[in-house]
Amino acid sequence: PIFLTDNGDFKARNLAKKLNQFVMGEFFRCKAYDLGTLALRDAAVLGTGCLKIYEGQDNKVQIERVLFTELLVDPNDSLYGDPRQMYQLKLVDREVLIEMFPEKKNDILRTEQAFPDTAGDSARTASDQVMVIEGWHLPSGPGAKDGKHIIACTNVSLLDEDYDKEKFPFIFMHYSQRLLGFFGQSLAEQLMGTQVEINKLLMTISRSINLVGVPRVFVEDGSKVVKAQLNNDVGSIVTYRGTKPIYEVAPCVPAEVYQQLQRLVDYAYQQSGISALSAASQKPAGLDSGAALREYDDLQSDRFATLSKRYDNFYVELAYQVIDLAKCIAERDGSYSTVYPNKNGTREVNLPDADLLKDTYIIQCFDASSLPRDPAGRLQKVVEMIQSGMVDIKEGRRMLDFPDLEQQEKLANSGEERILSILDKIIEEGEYTPPDPFMDLNLAIQLSNQYYNLYTPTNLEEERSEMLRTFNSQCIALQQAAQPPAPVAVPGAPAQRLANPEPLPTSPLIPQT
């Protein structure tokens, strides 16, 4: 998820940038993307995947996977998919629960041990767990005081507090939304009818092979054959008189049964929208060019466009709830920080001031990169962009981002990265670093002009605008000082002939127009 401002000023843009770094740090710390893939798998198998956002014992935001079988909603309350009450039933270790609520220790010790189900093997355990019920009742409207949040065991109420948030602390991922009700329909449920027919055929084939599909020896009645010689020994000699023994394997399953089985398997792939080649990680024969691979990948992705959009919105909603809970912790404790990972290592990022978070901001979710993921398709796309003049070779090399080119990429872009780092510190922190002759002064002048034109109209502080002007003027001074002095013309000396200019360097990527 990426925070974007809508015609915002410098402060709004700076806030969006800090929020992006903060969310990335929290997602990295909580392993949000690993848990998100588990939620997507739960949605495909069970119908609904779920993540819970809560405050851990370290006063930090925590994210955990929740099975939808732990959740309980009223069928009438959730008829249109928006329940006002929700309960979570979960087995918790008794000692962990005492650590969370030490003032209720005696009541927790008196609580009976609970088991996942009523099966006999369920009670054969060395664990000591109790059933904990956590419930939420959403407020009736803005400012209403009837919202509730409770945590209870079978014989004691552990927590009873007001709840003023408009949503439950869960993020749901539905594989396919039902017409009525809260929980979604899974891919396994959609394929159930086809899978039942496949199972019937497989059972028929298995029984037929066990009964008929074994080698048999036919010996004519009255022939002189010693049956003991019919064995599995290698090179055994069988003596006979009359008719020769015949080894046969009867056809046990008609070909139509295997054809019907293959048709059902193909139909299941069509129902799920996945081709057999994609399931086996294979590409169709003849698709070798990058453009063809991209087109094939787009066709595969279009089938899951709706699911993909729900998956994107899943992380957008997760970002909202993480920031909302972090803001509550920051208002209570005074601050909230996380570690933001970037290409230069990690650094600590504080949650922006709660007052700034009250401003309007928009989250839009974009793919990490619009370029193809496979090397052949990525290279072909970048070459096309270079040939069309959309990017230069230097930028195209950065877009490739191949692991074996990482070191060359860092060296080739080190000059630009250093200039951008200096200008970013001027804009964000008001820290000034003067230019030096080791910089690409032409690029530094160009970038400082662009930074000045970009941020000055957005109410940038005058002190920082002056730093940009100073940086630009010092770059120009260094550039002029590095130029050699003009040659002095000697009276009466013959004019020097200039050499013909050398041809421009050629590249196989750029057509010479």
Side-chain angles (χ1 to χ4, degrees):
I2 299 177
F3 287 81
L4 297 178
T5 58
D6 187 7
N7 196 23
D9 57 8
F10 164 72
K11 291 185 178 180
R13 293 184 185 182
N14 195 34
L15 171 64
K17 185 174 182 179
K18 290 182 178 179
L19 287 177
N20 287 331
Q21 296 174 352
F22 180 82
V23 169
M24 184 178 296
E26 286 296 274
F27 277 19
F28 176 78
R29 184 181 61 82
C30 299
K31 300 181 179 179
Y33 291 109
D34 294 337
L35 296 173
T37 57
L38 293 179
L40 179 62
R41 186 191 64 180
D42 292 341
V45 177
L46 304 174
T48 298
C50 179
L51 296 182
K52 182 180 180 181
I53 298 91
Y54 66 99
E55 181 181 355
Q57 295 181 346
D58 57 351
N59 297 332
K60 294 288 187 180
V61 175
Q62 299 293 338
I63 304 175
E64 71 173 359
R65 171 196 176 209
V66 175
L67 292 176
F68 90 100
T69 51
E70 298 178 0
L71 302 178
L72 178 64
V73 294
D74 185 88
N76 292 338
D77 186 29
S78 61
L79 186 63
Y80 298 104
D82 294 317
R84 306 295 301 172
Q85 283 188 167
M86 183 174 294
Y87 300 93
Q88 180 187 8
L89 291 77
K90 186 174 183 178
L91 291 175
V92 180
D93 187 88
R94 193 186 303 270
E95 296 298 329
V96 174
L97 196 61
I98 293 175
E99 184 68 22
M100 296 173 61
F101 302 97
E103 69 279 2
K104 304 286 186 178
K105 178 179 180 179
N106 294 332
D107 295 320
I108 295 174
L109 290 175
R110 289 194 296 268
T111 304
E112 295 182 0
Q113 184 179 7
F115 306 100
D117 50 48
T118 58
D121 292 339
S122 177
R124 299 172 59 183
T125 177
S127 63
D128 183 14
Q129 296 177 315
V130 296
M131 180 64 70
V132 178
I133 301 102
E134 187 172 7
W136 298 265
H137 177 76
L138 301 181
S140 302
K145 303 298 183 180
D146 58 342
K148 276 292 180 182
H149 174 216
I150 60 100
I151 300 178
C153 294
T154 54
N155 64 338
V156 60
S157 175
L158 302 174
L159 177 68
D160 187 346
E161 63 180 3
D162 295 335
Y163 190 75
D164 57 356
K165 300 185 182 299
E166 300 179 355
K167 296 180 180 180
F168 300 109
F170 297 98
I171 308 296
F172 296 100
M173 174 69 190
H174 303 295
Y175 183 83
S176 180
Q177 192 74 44
R178 298 180 187 271
L179 294 178
L180 295 175
F182 177 73
F183 297 108
Q185 184 184 37
S186 67
L187 175 62
E189 182 180 349
Q190 294 176 359
L191 297 176
M192 185 179 65
T194 305
Q195 186 65 55
V196 169
E197 293 299 319
I198 291 176
N199 292 345
K200 289 181 180 178
L201 287 179
L202 291 175
M203 292 177 62
T204 301
I205 293 173
S206 178
R207 293 180 57 189
S208 300
I209 292 177
N210 290 334
L211 292 175
V212 184
V214 293
R216 288 179 170 85
V217 183
F218 292 87
V219 180
E220 184 179 359
D221 190 17
S223 62
K224 301 297 182 177
V225 177
V226 180
K227 296 181 180 179
Q229 297 175 348
L230 303 176
N231 51 45
N232 294 330
D233 294 340
V234 178
S236 60
I237 300 175
V238 179
T239 60
Y240 71 95
R241 290 182 184 178
T243 306
K244 179 181 178 180
I246 301 174
Y247 289 81
E248 288 189 2
V249 178
C252 50
V253 181
E256 290 79 3
V257 176
Y258 288 107
Q259 294 174 3
Q260 176 64 9
L261 176 62
Q262 187 60 44
R263 281 195 293 267
L264 289 174
V265 172
D266 293 340
Y267 178 63
Y269 277 121
Q270 294 175 9
Q271 283 182 288
S272 62
I274 303 173
S275 67
L277 292 175
S278 297
S281 297
Q282 298 177 357
K283 67 178 182 66
L287 265 65
D288 299 322
S289 68
L293 290 173
R294 292 199 305 272
E295 187 68 22
Y296 179 71
D297 187 62
D298 290 341
L299 291 175
Q300 295 287 308
S301 302
D302 289 345
R303 173 61 174 80
F304 296 99
T306 305
L307 179 62
S308 178
K309 185 63 177 177
R310 285 200 295 270
Y311 193 55
D312 289 344
N313 292 335
F314 177 83
Y315 285 104
V316 172
E317 183 63 27
L318 182 61
Y320 271 119
Q321 294 230 21
V322 166
I323 288 181
D324 187 53
L325 180 56
K327 183 177 68 173
C328 294
I329 298 175
E331 291 176 347
R332 184 194 65 202
D333 298 342
S335 64
Y336 189 102
S337 62
T338 187
V339 176
Y340 163 64
N342 57 18
K343 60 184 179 181
N344 297 323
T346 59
R347 68 170 181 171
E348 188 174 354
V349 178
N350 292 322
L351 178 69
D353 295 336
D355 293 336
L356 294 177
L357 292 176
K358 296 177 182 179
D359 297 339
T360 304
Y361 56 89
I362 302 173
I363 293 184
Q364 294 182 359
C365 188
F366 295 94
D367 291 338
S369 175
S370 60
L371 294 174
R373 293 182 296 273
D374 60 284
R378 194 180 189 92
L379 177 60
Q380 180 68 23
K381 180 65 176 178
V382 171
V383 169
E384 292 173 0
M385 296 176 69
I386 294 175
Q387 292 178 343
S388 64
M390 297 175 62
V391 297
D392 56 16
I393 293 183
K394 183 178 179 181
E395 183 65 21
R397 185 170 61 248
R398 295 184 62 182
M399 294 168 65
L400 286 176
D401 196 21
F402 288 156
D404 56 340
L405 298 178
E406 183 176 356
Q407 183 63 25
Q408 289 82 353
E409 177 188 333
K410 287 183 178 179
L411 292 175
N413 301 312
S414 58
E416 182 179 0
E417 293 293 340
R418 183 187 175 206
I419 297 172
L420 293 176
S421 176
I422 293 175
L423 295 177
D424 285 339
K425 287 184 178 180
I426 292 176
I427 295 297
E428 298 176 7
E429 305 172 9
E431 179 181 341
Y432 182 76
T433 301
D436 55 60
F438 294 97
M439 290 183 180
D440 185 344
L441 297 176
N442 289 326
L443 182 61
I445 294 172
Q446 177 185 354
L447 291 177
S448 59
N449 285 332
Q450 293 174 349
Y451 265 66
Y452 185 83
N453 293 327
L454 175 64
Y455 288 104
T456 300
T458 60
N459 298 329
L460 181 65
E461 290 86 345
E462 176 59 27
E463 180 184 358
R464 301 183 183 184
S465 298
E466 178 62 27
M467 289 182 183
L468 290 176
R469 292 193 294 267
T470 302
F471 183 85
N472 184 271
S473 60
Q474 289 183 352
C475 289
I476 296 176
L478 288 174
Q479 187 181 48
Q480 293 175 350
Q483 293 178 354
V488 179
V490 179
Q496 296 181 354
R497 292 188 59 185
L498 299 177
N500 294 327
E502 295 183 358
L504 295 175
T506 59
S507 169
L509 298 180
I510 302 179
Q512 301 299 315
T513 57

